[in-house]
Amino acid sequence: LFPESITTEQQSLVLVKRLLAISMSCITYMRGLFPESSYGTRYLDDLCLKILREDKNCLGSLQIVKWIQGCFDALEKQYVSLGFYALSSNPTVTEMYQFKFKYKKKVPQMDISSNRWEFVAGPCSKDVKQASRLLLRTLYLLMQDLGPLPNDITLSMKLLYYNDVTPKDYQPPGFKEDGSPGDLLFAGDPINLRVGSVSTNFHLMKVRVTTEKKRVRKTDSNLIQKNGPTEISYQGLDCEEEEEEESTKISLLNLAFSQEEAVGPEKKRKVSEPEKLPLTSRK
């Protein structure tokens, strides 16, 4: 399921792609978005994984696979910084799944004992695989604790990029520019849940879930981040955890700032999206 060895950038990229695809499959399966026929079965130790596949009898599954492939293109080029999937019941967001990506460049570090610059070994393949298993297991457990979705649900996806390296005219296959990204509005008090992260010598991937507090039946308190505002800007989605902790000192009203107030028009984050997917035939 994962590369036996994760020592090269290509092997690391394969791992991140598979983690993204498996995570999205887990979300769509556990939330009952598509029929059983749209999934294959794989095993990771004792964990049974349902993997989304191209089901010609389910247009929704075909569309999601295309979305994931578009994200793969942005990952290969090291452009995408954040991908998020929102389940919405107009006009509010019910659940949001965030996948944050970072790309590392190996640089030599000082070895104090020898007073020489050397490349320091990063996480070993065994540790990376263990972190991957833990992330997927946590995601599966969390999905079981979320309340049922509304009947009129729409799935949307957006990609945010690293502006300093991404060409202005770049769009992944199947995506288009989101020229006027609005804020994400939750009906109740949103709660952030840290699912986990996987780090290699070349990539870092973090997964987080945001939903209304009342929709979480029970969960490990270690996963919970402090509550934020009911309105979340796109800029707020891409901040570091240290920045998130610092932001709790600011009033909730100030947190719900617009893109223009956050970074100014010349530095507005590039955002792209595919067509939204109304889910009218859920299982």
Side-chain angles (χ1 to χ4, degrees), residues 30-31 139-147 217-218:
M30 296 299 290
R31 304 311 284 141
L139 186 58
Y140 263 81
L141 291 174
L142 176 59
M143 295 296 96
Q144 295 174 17
D145 289 335
L146 294 179
R217 300 191 185 102
K218 58 179 181 178

Side-chain angles (χ1 to χ4, degrees), residues 116-132:
R116 291 186 304 176
W117 290 92
E118 297 180 348
F119 286 100
V120 178
C124 67
S125 298
K126 181 179 178 181
D127 292 338
V128 172
K129 291 180 181 179
Q130 184 176 356
S132 302

Side-chain angles (χ1 to χ4, degrees), residues 25 35 38 41 47 55 62 64 67 76 80 90 115 123 129-130 133 162-163 170 172 174 198 217 226 240 242 247 282:
S25 297
S38 297
T41 302
L47 186 61
D55 181 4
L62 291 173
I64 297 297
W67 291 5
E76 291 169 2
V80 64
N90 286 333
N115 199 29
K129 291 180 181 179
Q130 184 176 356
R133 286 193 293 267
Y162 289 106
N163 279 7
Y170 170 76
V198 174
R217 300 191 185 102
K226 293 182 179 180
E240 300 296 331
E242 292 82 6
S247 70
R282 290 163 51 207

Side-chain angles (χ1 to χ4, degrees), residues 125-272:
S125 298
K126 181 179 178 181
D127 292 338
V128 172
K129 291 180 181 179
Q130 184 176 356
S132 302
R133 286 193 293 267
L134 179 60
L135 185 150
L136 293 173
R137 192 178 298 275
T138 302
L139 186 58
Y140 263 81
L141 291 174
L142 176 59
M143 295 296 96
Q144 295 174 17
D145 289 335
L146 294 179
L149 292 170
N151 291 328
D152 57 331
I153 203 76
T154 298
L155 178 62
S156 59
M157 176 185 181
K158 295 184 187 291
L159 297 180
L160 279 70
Y161 303 89
Y162 289 106
N163 279 7
D164 56 337
V165 296
T166 307
K168 290 184 178 180
D169 60 351
Y170 170 76
Q171 293 295 339
F175 283 72
K176 62 181 181 180
E177 181 178 358
D178 184 4
S180 56
D183 290 338
L184 303 165
L185 180 64
F186 287 81
D189 294 328
I191 185 173
N192 288 324
L193 302 168
R194 294 189 183 99
V195 177
S197 64
V198 174
S199 179
T200 73
N201 285 326
F202 307 95
H203 297 87
L204 171 65
M205 172 177 162
K206 293 183 179 181
V207 182
R208 187 172 67 178
V209 177
T210 306
T211 188
E212 295 175 38
K213 187 175 181 179
K214 66 181 181 180
R215 304 194 67 256
V216 183
R217 300 191 185 102
K218 58 179 181 178
T219 194
D220 186 344
S221 60
N222 292 328
L223 301 179
I224 300 175
Q225 292 180 337
K226 293 182 179 180
N227 287 356
T230 57
E231 188 175 350
I232 300 176
S233 73
Y234 284 91
Q235 301 303 319
L237 291 175
D238 203 23
C239 59
E240 300 296 331
E241 289 186 9
E242 292 82 6
E243 294 170 344
E244 291 167 358
E245 293 170 0
E246 181 67 22
S247 70
T248 60
K249 301 176 183 177
I250 307 173
S251 70
L252 297 184
L253 182 61
N254 288 338
L255 276 174
F257 46 72
S258 67
Q259 278 194 315
E260 289 75 15
E261 293 171 330
V263 292
E266 73 281 1
K267 293 184 180 179
K268 187 180 293 185
R269 292 304 302 271
K270 176 182 175 66
V271 183
S272 59

